[in-house]
Amino acid sequence: MLNLLKEAVLKGDMTEAAELTSQALEDGVSPGEILSDGLIATMDIVGQEFESGIRFIPEMLVSAEAMKSAMEILRPQLIASGIESRGKVVIGTVEGDLHDIGKDLVATMLEGAGYDIVDLGVEVTAGQFVEAVQKHSPDVVAMSALLTTTMVFMPGVIQALQDAGLRDSVRVVIGGAPVTRDYAEEIGADGYADDAPTAVALVKSLT
Ligand code: B1M
């Protein structure tokens, strides 16, 4: 059963992934087993295939969508079964920026790795990041930017967290096509990831 679920996620079949998840639950497979052996293990394969150049972004996206549809079925069960979360991540695309495909992929893969995600969406201002940190007390704030004209809002978010006395309570990680490791260091972020699997590894290393 879990092998069929793995196959469905690998090929990016959203309907089959959701149906097989429901079926596995009906057959008595535990939500934790479905998550770790059926979904997280598969997204690890997706990440490895992406890193070795066997899988490309569109294939990674369809697998992420299939995993999202399985997670929709599994999420209530996971909450009910009280599986402990690895931590909480507030994520958003920065002010002025509408690009959300990469941010969504990072959020989905983090969710698959066991993190609670508070997704603030796109065009998120420094003030909204601060409010979300005050409200949700996350372990990590993750910012995405796809434009050279919007990545410049990232230091403002870090400064706003500092001004609100929250900077020491969260790790700040950044990513997106124009963002670099040097830029992360320059603006005082705690880490940079250039793709979704690396973002998961980075967040794991910080929490
Ligand atoms: Co726009 N766009 N776009 N666009 N767009 C780019 C980014 C661009 C490079 C295209 C180009 O000119 N070659 C260019 C930016 C140039 C620059 O600033 N250097 C550009 C431009 C100019 C614009 C507009 C200004 C165009 C215009 O209106 N004149 C405009 C801006 C709108 C705005 O935001 N205010 C615009 C609009 C759009 C659409 C709305 C049409 C659409 C976005 C739809 C959407 O997201 N819902 C769009 C798209 C689709 C693109 C391209 C073609 C694809 C982006 C994408 O989704 N990639 C893009 C060109 C390109 O990248 N090839 C382009 C797939 C995605 C999986 O990758 O987002 O890089 P990516 O995410 C990766 C990593 O970056 C990383 O992990 C992800 C997964 O591996 N990552 C993180 C991302 N966020 C992370 C956060 C982390 C860690 C890793 O936190 C720790």
Side-chain angles (χ1 to χ4, degrees):
M1 174 62 70
L2 290 185
N3 280 339
L4 293 175
L5 177 57
K6 272 187 182 179
E7 287 304 317
V9 174
L10 283 173
K11 69 181 182 212
D13 190 325
M14 291 170 67
T15 311
E16 210 178 312
E19 282 172 6
L20 286 165
T21 302
S22 298
Q23 217 174 309
L25 288 169
E26 278 166 28
D27 290 353
V29 184
S30 76
E33 202 179 333
I34 297 172
L35 179 65
S36 59
D37 298 350
L39 299 175
I40 296 179
T42 311
M43 292 314 275
D44 283 345
I45 296 171
V46 170
Q48 284 155 13
E49 288 185 355
F50 176 69
E51 275 165 26
S52 1
I54 302 169
R55 188 176 275 266
F56 299 97
I57 281 173
E59 295 154 313
M60 190 155 72
L61 275 174
V62 291
S63 287
E65 287 301 321
M67 196 195 115
K68 270 189 192 179
S69 72
M71 286 299 292
E72 289 302 314
I73 308 288
L74 206 55
R75 193 176 292 115
Q77 306 289 329
L78 286 171
I79 293 163
S81 66
I83 283 177
E84 225 171 281
S85 149
R86 273 179 180 264
K88 194 182 284 180
V89 180
V90 161
I91 189 166
T93 302
V94 296
E95 188 174 348
D97 200 322
L98 289 168
H99 296 84
D100 66 359
I101 297 172
K103 182 264 298 167
D104 286 353
L105 190 53
V106 171
T108 301
M109 292 201 61
L110 282 170
E111 188 175 20
Y115 290 89
D116 290 331
I117 301 298
V118 179
D119 188 345
L120 304 179
V122 296
E123 299 196 280
V124 184
T125 63
Q128 288 169 323
F129 274 110
V130 168
E131 273 171 34
V133 172
Q134 283 164 338
K135 185 172 172 195
H136 301 284
S137 306
D139 303 284
V140 174
V141 169
M143 289 187 264
S144 178
L146 262 287
L147 301 170
T148 46
T149 50
T150 58
M151 60 188 266
V152 295
F153 290 116
M154 289 173 160
V157 176
I158 294 175
Q159 186 61 51
L161 289 170
Q162 183 80 47
D163 294 345
L166 296 165
R167 180 64 185 95
D168 292 339
S169 69
V170 285
R171 303 278 71 100
V172 177
V173 295
I174 64 173
V179 179
T180 62
R181 190 174 308 281
D182 284 350
Y183 187 66
E185 276 173 25
E186 187 188 318
I187 69 171
D190 298 303
Y192 155 80
D194 64 356
D195 59 27
T198 316
V200 172
L202 171 66
V203 169
K204 278 184 182 170
S205 75
L206 292 171
T207 53

